[in-house]
Amino acid sequence: MTFSLTYGEEHKHPLNITRSDIHFEAIPSQRLCLITLRLTVVNDAIAQDIEGALRFPLPDSDATICGFQLGEDTAVSLPKTKAAAVAYKEREKGRAVATAASVQGAVYETTLFPLKYNEPKELTLTCFTALKGQADGTLALTLPVTFALPVPHVTVRANALDGALTIEAAGALPQTGAAAAEARLAAASLPGGVTLRAVPAAGAPQVVSAASGERLYFTGCVSKEEIDAALASRAGTPRGAPPGTACGAPHVGLFVDCSLSAAGRAQGALALLDALDAAHGKLGGGCVYTLWSFSRVATRRTARGASLAETKAALAALRYDGGTDLRLLDSLIAEAASADEHGPACSAAVLISDALDNLKAAPKLTGPGSAELPVHVALPPEACNANLSVLRWIARQLGSACAPLSEPDELAALVSGATAQVLLTRLQTDQSDDVAAFEDDAFQTCPDFRLSHVAVPTDADGSLRMSGVSALGEGARDAPTALGLTVSRGGLRANIELAIPPPPAALESSGPLLGRLLQVQHTLLTLRELRATFWDPKQVEVLATAAACDAGIASEHSSLLLLSLPEQFCDNEIACPPDHPAHARWLALSAERAKTEAEREEAEAKAKHAKLHGLVKQLVGRYKEMSDAAVPGWGKPVNRGGRGTEEAMMLGGGGGRRGSAARGVTRSCAMPAASAASPLMACMMEGGFDDAPPSRQLLAASAASPLMAPQRLLECMMEGGFDDAPPPALPRAALAAASAEEGFDDECFDDECDLPGSFASALCPPPPRAPPPAPPPGSSAPRPAACMGFLDAAELAEFYAPLAPTATAGAEYAPQLSSMLAGADSDEERPVHRSLVAALDPPTRTRAAAGSALSSVGLLVGGAARRLSLGGSRGGGGPGASPAPPCAPPKRPKRRAVGDGPWLGAIAEAYASSGLGGAQVAFDEQLKSSPALVGKPSTYIQASECLHACGADAAACADVLFDVLETKLPDFQTCRVVAYHLLSLGLLDEAVLLLELVLELAPAEPHSHTDIAFAKLLRLMDSGKSAPVDDKAAERARAEMARVVAALAKVVTSTEWPARFNEIEWPALILLSWAVAWAEHTYPSLRGSLWPEAELPAATYRVGGEAGPRLDIFVWLGWDTDKTDVDLHVTEPTGEEVYYSHNRSSSTGARVSRDFTQGLGPEVYTLPRAPKGTYLVETNYYASHQATTATGSTSAVIWSVQNMGDFGREKLQFSSVRLTKHKQRQSVLQLSV
């Protein structure tokens, strides 16, 4: 376990843990344990309020988090979706909130907000888990808690109700005690975690009881040895012959999960094959096999009835890649259970899987063969993350057995029939004959004592477990005092009687912990039995969620949410726990609010009414205004070399990107009032140039200002940089300063236009330069910068000549640069910062020294011999700027085909020479030779993009893409990025499943609703291309459209969205109106039944009326990272570029929507009437506003519709792009009209 602060993909800042206390409360006779982990943590890494994340594995997936505290505040258990929504809203309000949730299998995560700078917090987690039987007869469990940094004080304590204990931890001798043990460690990181070993006391009871609140819980455990002894005393019918085929030879099918997370079980599968062959040999016959592998697709790997050697060779050759789709199990069972021309049917099968399905899908197990073919389940080893509850459920549904893969002989004996499965077939109590007990809902057992027959298999260790609960207090019936178990194995049957003792007389401080332990055990057994026996999955989820929340645990259905203020409980309609410090204040506030409930409901109704009749109505009017407006210069080319109105705005001080009101970003450096006399300085100080460098006129307008000294220019670049392009003749040296902070990528440069001079040349005379090489025959020579209206090196040097920097100015900025040097994130950045500090340090501040230092910076980041692309609208205006030819198509910037890194080049080369198989081998070799690549999600995203660029089919690319989820267990951002790429590959079903998971994990983000609505609509449109339009298709469309409409209507009407997402209703309205119009056009029987009339009367809010919006071009840009700023840029064939600060086209009438600077988008481009030509769509990863610059990659999704509303001519394009650097500008789509 590593407690770390995480931003983006791979940057982690470990928090300081000053103390750790670990307490084990064990009941060895029941093989159960409750672990309390108390950590004192402090945020001493980030000097502001941040959110901390703690993701860690529990001993196995049967374990669960059943308690969560922060200081004195205790958490409540809520349905998972509600907990996620409340946590998101509270963080947006800036109020304290924390969660603990199951991620996948045995992995859990807690989040804490805020963690204030240098303010210690005490975090307490309580975990329920089981003690496992060992080969030497003892019991043990390992808590895999390992700290990133040594913890000064670590204490481990353990208590046992009925046995002896030993504590083992690295750095300390084993500590043993009869009923208690303790170990203290100093400066410990606990490599390998902490292990507790236990030996049950002789004569310990088989059933234990304890009180928790007003309920009495009891639990029992009958060991494998006790069951064997009971069955051995009974005579039974002999076991039948082992299963075989018609020809007599047993035929075993193997269903092997070959997803990436299952790779560690390859050797166990080979050992199982040997055990199966030996087990069948002891029964007097051989065995044949058929091997199937499955991940996202299922493939038969051997001929039917293959030999042991052939099967082992095929098993050893498997490649582990992609994710797991458990739905494939239905088709595998059907194929294995039936004979065909290739061979006989299987008589038994074995499933080897971890059941970690990242799509949260499950097989139906009701199809052909599911009633005939026994499918035994190999449980993964304890150290592996796995979904054990799903694996047990599969075995229960198919009437088969589970056994550990680490015990191949035991599993082989069950498969071969040499050993029969042990089942608990009935549970009775001493009150089973009492009709009142049957009717008492407060008296429950698991399995249910009311049933005359059950079929509960033993656990992996061969033991049987049961539990129950009854009421305590006045008026409650007497608790049961005895249990009766009926067990069977094949034809053998035996009865086992167990006494239920009263709670121990003197539990002292352990009493509440034992009661809590038994309560959690009963809840988990109930959830397991509920899933295995109930027929309706939706009802199972409802009942399981209620049971988990009632017990206060984090499960696959529930999360623990921690709030601190009574207002938080009231605002979110959550009951405050009685032991919470805010309970009394919550009661008073609830009573007060109950008196004003009608007023609050009225206020909420008014807020919704105000939104609909204000913002939303205005947005509907925006479409009509845009559609009806005449564009005087429609279709006429504009001067692509000039800035026009925008430059005039810059001269007035209002055109800078960050100076605009829409941005709302405050500069971190104060600017002297006199700087208003320098428009150039104002532009740069307020955020730089908007995509274009300054022209001569703008520089000339600033010439009189002494504030335009070089150090001011450098400071501005350090503070904010330039937008997308540096000014001409200022270059690698000054550019290095900007790129060190916000970054220019190499794609900003190509071979179009020479950059004469450098920033150093403005400070001291540049050395003579060799003439540029002659252009290749047939190519045009690059135009010099001067002809574009830019200052060349000599002109700029003359401009700066009278502005010699002073020591005073240097002293002003050196501390800031020194601070940046201390916080440099890479070896590449540190020398850059050092050179800048030297350039501005007063003792060495001379023109020559500054020029030398800055020249060295240029060399450090790749030298000065780089060239800047000035295509599109980036050219400068002014005298001599020639207009673009009419309707000239914009030039597409250069793009790398397959991404960065030599390892990607190796994959591409292998694909070119040996196809997909060669590329996969090359990828595997790269992972082996570079272990750092293995744990990075970006590795698999880039590899998938590389294969796609090389021409690999979508399924192969998706296999690699799903490795992202196998490597990084799902969170909503990870699921989003994979879903976006799946959409671009056309794999719509998988994308929809992932986006549904995103909606569950982040329901309070409006983008979760727009994403799932678009994906479902896209899938519906795709299915309509091939399916006939009949009544069945129309009803399926109605059901799907109901979900699409509900999601989009929620986005438009809800008043709960954070203010930073204001106007997201505009793209949602367009998408809603278009979706309904398309569905009604495609399925005429649905007309009039889809639009949400009650929430959004169509006469007022339906954009475009029944026909829907009519747009020649519609472009949508969304992205997956919160607190980041990605911009949409569209360059039109007229030469005009439309984007956030020039959001209306004077030559086409197009518009770009509001600029979303705080994450996720979407930004949309709408054009009712498009002039003919090519439209270039680009994205610009402008910046991140997270608490650190160490953000990982951002994935953007861009889709466009041409001829929207003309349903016979609509053309949809879809693309996704991965953005890794601030200021990264990338071409993503070209639209031709």
Side-chain angles (χ1 to χ4, degrees):
M1 175 181 69
T2 301
F3 197 93
S4 60
L5 173 66
T6 305
Y7 295 100
E9 173 189 289
E10 58 187 290
H11 300 277
K12 295 184 178 180
H13 303 277
L15 299 177
N16 186 16
I17 301 179
T18 60
R19 186 176 188 86
S20 173
D21 294 293
I22 304 171
H23 179 81
F24 296 91
E25 193 72 30
I27 310 179
S29 66
Q30 301 301 309
R31 306 189 176 195
L32 300 177
C33 187
L34 200 66
I35 306 172
T36 302
L37 172 64
R38 184 172 290 108
L39 301 172
T40 303
V41 302
V42 60
N43 164 30
D44 57 2
I46 306 295
Q48 64 184 73
D49 294 356
I50 52 87
E51 181 178 14
L54 172 64
R55 180 171 285 199
F56 55 95
L58 298 183
D60 57 47
S61 67
D62 284 334
T64 190
I65 296 295
C66 58
F68 182 33
Q69 283 184 274
L70 192 61
E72 298 298 320
D73 296 342
T74 56
V76 295
S77 183
L78 297 175
K80 211 165 191 177
T81 300
K82 181 171 183 178
V86 172
Y88 183 89
K89 294 175 185 176
E90 292 302 310
R91 283 194 299 268
E92 286 291 321
K93 295 176 182 177
R95 300 197 295 203
V97 66
T99 59
S102 170
V103 179
Q104 189 182 75
V107 178
Y108 281 70
E109 180 178 67
T110 66
T111 61
L112 310 173
F113 176 86
L115 283 173
K116 296 182 178 296
Y117 184 57
N118 278 340
E119 184 177 304
K121 292 282 188 180
E122 187 176 87
L123 166 72
T124 304
L125 290 167
T126 306
C127 164
F128 169 92
T129 189
L131 292 157
K132 305 291 185 181
Q134 306 298 303
D136 60 0
T138 63
L139 305 172
L141 72 84
T142 297
L143 178 65
V145 49
T146 300
F147 302 110
L149 300 173
V151 177
H153 305 283
V154 177
T155 303
V156 185
R157 299 183 179 88
N159 292 328
L161 177 66
D162 48 24
L165 299 171
T166 300
I167 296 171
E168 298 176 0
L173 296 174
Q175 303 295 311
T176 302
E182 180 175 324
R184 296 179 180 271
L185 301 91
S189 58
L190 300 180
V194 179
T195 298
L196 178 71
R197 300 190 183 277
V199 178
Q206 295 170 302
V207 180
V208 174
S209 66
S212 179
E214 296 182 352
R215 297 176 181 177
L216 177 70
Y217 291 90
F218 60 87
T219 185
C221 177
V222 183
S223 68
K224 180 178 184 299
E225 294 74 18
E226 291 166 329
I227 295 171
D228 287 343
L231 290 170
S233 65
R234 310 291 296 176
T237 57
R239 177 186 55 80
T245 63
C247 60
H251 180 188
V252 177
L254 294 173
F255 305 148
V256 178
D257 180 351
C258 62
S259 64
L260 184 65
S261 62
R265 287 175 283 287
Q267 292 302 315
L270 290 170
L272 176 60
L273 271 174
D274 288 330
L276 285 169
D277 211 60
H280 284 96
K282 290 178 182 179
L283 295 176
C287 183
V288 294
Y289 307 90
T290 302
L291 172 65
W292 286 268
S293 69
F294 70 99
S295 55
R296 292 185 54 260
V297 294
T299 307
R300 181 161 58 85
R301 298 291 180 174
T302 65
R304 280 185 177 268
S307 67
L308 175 65
E310 292 170 334
T311 307
K312 291 180 71 174
L315 186 58
L318 284 182
R319 183 174 186 274
Y320 292 83
D321 191 23
T324 303
D325 187 350
L326 289 175
R327 295 172 299 178
L328 296 171
L329 194 56
D330 290 316
S331 60
L332 288 174
I333 292 172
E335 184 177 348
S338 60
D340 59 21
E341 66 275 13
H342 301 292
C346 293
S347 52
V350 179
L351 171 64
I352 303 175
S353 174
D354 55 17
L356 295 178
D357 190 325
N358 290 309
L359 298 177
K360 303 294 183 183
K364 295 181 179 178
L365 304 182
T366 57
S370 58
E372 297 84 23
L373 181 68
V375 180
H376 304 280
V377 176
L379 298 177
E382 293 177 13
C384 298
N385 187 30
N387 196 331
L388 296 178
S389 64
V390 170
L391 292 173
R392 292 195 193 96
W393 171 76
I394 291 172
R396 287 282 295 274
Q397 295 300 303
L398 297 175
S400 306
C402 290
L405 185 61
S406 56
E407 301 290 340
D409 293 337
E410 178 182 343
L411 181 57
L414 290 168
V415 175
S416 66
T419 300
Q421 183 181 18
V422 174
L423 296 173
L424 171 62
T425 58
R426 190 174 185 186
L427 173 69
Q428 295 176 287
T429 76
D430 56 346
Q431 298 180 5
S432 292
D433 296 331
D434 186 346
V435 175
F438 272 72
E439 298 175 347
D440 185 1
D441 290 337
F443 177 35
Q444 304 286 338
T445 65
C446 187
D448 194 341
F449 75 95
R450 298 171 177 84
L451 300 177
S452 61
H453 182 80
V454 296
V456 180
T458 58
D459 282 351
D461 60 3
S463 64
L464 283 171
R465 299 176 186 271
M466 68 293 306
S467 66
V469 59
S470 62
L472 291 176
E474 186 177 351
R477 61 183 299 102
D478 292 338
T481 59
L483 296 175
L485 280 63
T486 302
V487 296
S488 67
R489 181 170 61 203
L492 299 178
R493 189 177 302 272
N495 295 320
I496 301 175
E497 300 294 330
L498 304 174
I500 303 178
L507 289 178
E508 298 180 352
S509 61
S510 296
L513 289 177
L514 290 175
R516 177 64 173 151
L517 194 156
L518 299 191
Q519 178 191 17
V520 175
Q521 166 73 342
H522 176 66
T523 301
L524 294 179
L525 290 179
T526 300
L527 293 179
R528 183 194 302 184
E529 198 66 14
L530 182 65
R531 179 167 188 174
T533 59
F534 213 87
W535 65 274
D536 184 354
K538 292 184 179 179
Q539 189 64 20
V540 167
E541 183 172 357
V542 172
L543 296 174
T545 300
C549 291
D550 181 63
I553 65 174
S555 69
E556 62 178 313
H557 307 291
S558 59
S559 298
L560 295 179
L561 177 74
L562 196 149
L563 305 173
S564 57
L565 301 175
E567 291 82 2
Q568 293 177 295
F569 290 98
C570 289
D571 290 351
N572 297 290
E573 299 180 346
I574 299 171
C576 183
D579 56 348
H580 194 286
H583 181 73
R585 290 179 292 152
W586 168 75
L587 287 175
L589 183 60
S590 298
E592 180 182 338
R593 289 196 175 187
K595 300 175 183 177
T596 60
E597 182 176 359
E599 295 177 10
R600 287 184 290 107
E601 291 178 353
E602 183 180 357
E604 291 175 4
K606 286 182 178 179
K608 186 172 183 178
H609 181 272
K611 176 181 180 179
L612 293 179
H613 287 76
L615 172 65
V616 177
K617 200 168 184 179
Q618 291 173 9
L619 295 175
V620 176
R622 176 186 295 179
Y623 171 79
K624 181 173 177 56
E625 175 191 348
M626 180 178 61
S627 299
D628 296 345
V631 183
W634 185 86
K636 295 180 181 179
V638 300
N639 184 349
R640 293 173 61 197
R643 302 296 290 175
T645 304
E646 185 179 350
E647 186 166 275
M649 291 175 63
M650 292 175 66
L651 286 166
R657 176 186 179 99
R658 297 190 189 177
S660 65
R663 282 284 161 183
V665 179
T666 302
R667 302 300 299 145
S668 60
C669 57
M671 184 177 176
S675 65
S678 172
L680 175 60
M681 193 63 233
C683 289
M684 292 192 298
M685 292 297 296
E686 288 301 317
F689 302 100
D690 286 347
D691 305 317
S695 65
R696 275 198 184 89
Q697 294 96 318
L698 193 55
L699 285 172
S702 300
S705 173
L707 295 172
M708 197 50 228
Q711 70 271 16
R712 282 291 190 180
L713 174 61
L714 182 59
E715 182 226 16
C716 139
M717 299 179 72
M718 295 298 294
E719 284 298 314
F722 300 97
D723 287 352
D724 306 316
L730 284 182
R732 288 310 292 182
L735 180 58
S739 63
E741 180 68 11
E742 290 201 69
F744 293 96
D745 67 347
D746 290 339
E747 292 182 9
C748 290
F749 299 89
D750 61 19
D751 296 329
E752 277 195 46
C753 184
D754 191 20
L755 252 179
S758 67
F759 187 58
S761 72
L763 300 175
C764 55
R769 297 182 57 189
S779 65
S780 60
R783 292 189 293 175
C787 76
M788 297 291 289
F790 299 147
L791 294 171
D792 60 20
E795 291 172 313
L796 193 59
E798 181 181 356
F799 174 76
Y800 276 108
L803 307 177
T806 65
T808 302
E812 183 179 351
Y813 308 112
Q816 180 183 359
L817 293 171
S818 299
S819 175
M820 292 176 59
L821 174 60
D825 293 325
S826 68
D827 293 337
E828 182 181 5
E829 286 186 20
R830 289 189 184 96
V832 171
H833 294 336
R834 288 193 187 102
S835 297
L836 292 171
V837 172
L840 295 180
D841 187 38
T844 61
R845 187 71 168 88
T846 65
R847 295 173 68 166
S852 174
L854 291 171
S855 295
S856 70
V857 173
L859 293 174
L860 284 168
V861 293
R866 293 300 186 100
R867 303 165 189 268
L868 173 66
S869 171
L870 299 175
S873 67
R874 299 181 185 178
S882 55
C887 297
K891 183 175 179 65
R892 174 187 287 269
K894 294 185 178 181
R895 291 183 62 186
R896 294 182 181 89
V898 297
D900 300 313
W903 65 277
L904 287 170
I907 296 174
E909 290 174 5
Y911 189 95
S913 61
S914 306
L916 178 61
Q920 290 174 333
V921 171
F923 184 33
D924 292 342
E925 290 174 351
Q926 294 297 322
L927 294 177
K928 290 178 183 177
S929 62
S930 302
L933 292 174
V934 176
K936 295 181 179 179
S938 63
T939 296
Y940 305 97
I941 295 175
Q942 291 183 78
S944 176
E945 292 172 343
C946 175
L947 290 175
H948 188 55
C950 291
D953 61 44
C957 298
D959 281 340
V960 180
L961 193 59
F962 267 92
D963 290 343
V964 174
L965 300 178
E966 297 285 294
T967 304
K968 182 177 181 180
L969 296 180
D971 55 34
F972 64 88
Q973 181 177 337
T974 308
C975 291
R976 258 203 191 111
V977 63
V978 174
Y980 286 172
H981 283 79
L982 288 173
L983 287 172
S984 68
L985 292 171
L987 300 174
L988 305 180
D989 289 337
E990 290 93 336
V992 166
L993 286 172
L994 275 179
L995 290 173
E996 286 177 339
L997 182 56
V998 170
L999 183 60
E1000 175 186 322
L1001 296 173
E1005 278 187 357
H1007 312 79
S1008 302
H1009 301 271
T1010 56
D1011 282 347
I1012 189 62
F1014 171 68
K1016 284 180 174 290
L1017 177 62
L1018 195 62
R1019 183 173 66 175
L1020 188 58
M1021 288 178 166
D1022 185 69
S1023 65
K1025 295 176 182 178
S1026 55
V1029 181
D1030 53 19
D1031 291 343
K1032 288 185 178 180
E1035 287 308 308
R1036 286 193 298 268
R1038 184 192 301 277
E1040 192 80 326
M1041 280 299 301
R1043 301 183 184 95
V1044 171
V1045 169
L1048 293 173
K1050 181 178 179 65
V1051 174
V1052 174
T1053 62
S1054 176
T1055 59
E1056 297 179 352
W1057 311 131
R1060 61 193 175 100
F1061 299 136
N1062 188 38
E1063 289 198 24
I1064 194 175
E1065 294 82 2
W1066 169 239
L1069 265 176
I1070 295 176
L1071 183 55
L1072 173 61
S1073 302
W1074 176 53
V1076 173
W1078 173 86
E1080 291 181 346
H1081 170 82
T1082 306
Y1083 305 97
S1085 63
L1086 302 183
R1087 288 177 181 168
S1089 63
L1090 298 178
W1091 184 263
E1093 187 68 24
E1095 300 170 273
L1096 294 166
T1100 305
Y1101 299 107
R1102 188 165 178 177
V1103 174
E1106 291 186 2
R1110 300 296 294 264
L1111 298 169
D1112 281 0
I1113 295 180
F1114 176 76
V1115 180
W1116 176 299
L1117 164 67
W1119 58 99
D1120 70 329
T1121 312
D1122 204 4
K1123 308 290 186 181
T1124 53
D1125 184 359
V1126 180
D1127 295 318
L1128 174 66
H1129 291 248
V1130 179
T1131 304
E1132 300 170 332
T1134 60
E1136 191 164 1
E1137 183 173 355
V1138 193
Y1139 58 108
Y1140 61 89
S1141 66
H1142 182 64
N1143 57 14
R1144 297 191 186 192
S1145 172
S1146 61
S1147 58
T1148 66
R1151 292 192 184 187
V1152 165
S1153 62
R1154 176 181 179 267
D1155 184 17
F1156 288 96
T1157 64
Q1158 294 292 322
L1160 307 176
E1163 296 185 9
V1164 297
Y1165 171 88
T1166 49
L1167 176 54
R1169 294 176 297 280
K1172 292 183 178 180
T1174 301
Y1175 294 75
L1176 176 63
V1177 181
E1178 295 176 289
T1179 59
N1180 178 29
Y1181 186 9
Y1182 180 77
S1184 168
H1185 306 300
Q1186 294 187 349
T1188 175
T1189 57
T1191 48
S1193 63
T1194 287
S1195 289
V1197 56
I1198 306 94
W1199 56 276
S1200 67
V1201 182
Q1202 291 179 246
N1203 305 313
M1204 176 181 277
D1206 189 352
F1207 299 116
R1209 298 176 56 242
E1210 282 182 341
K1211 180 180 179 182
L1212 181 68
Q1213 291 192 58
F1214 193 95
S1215 179
S1216 62
V1217 61
R1218 192 174 55 87
L1219 308 171
T1220 58
K1221 302 175 184 176
H1222 301 170
K1223 308 293 182 177
Q1224 179 177 350
R1225 181 148 167 169
Q1226 199 154 342
S1227 175
V1228 289
L1229 285 177
Q1230 274 196 8
L1231 309 174
S1232 297
V1233 176

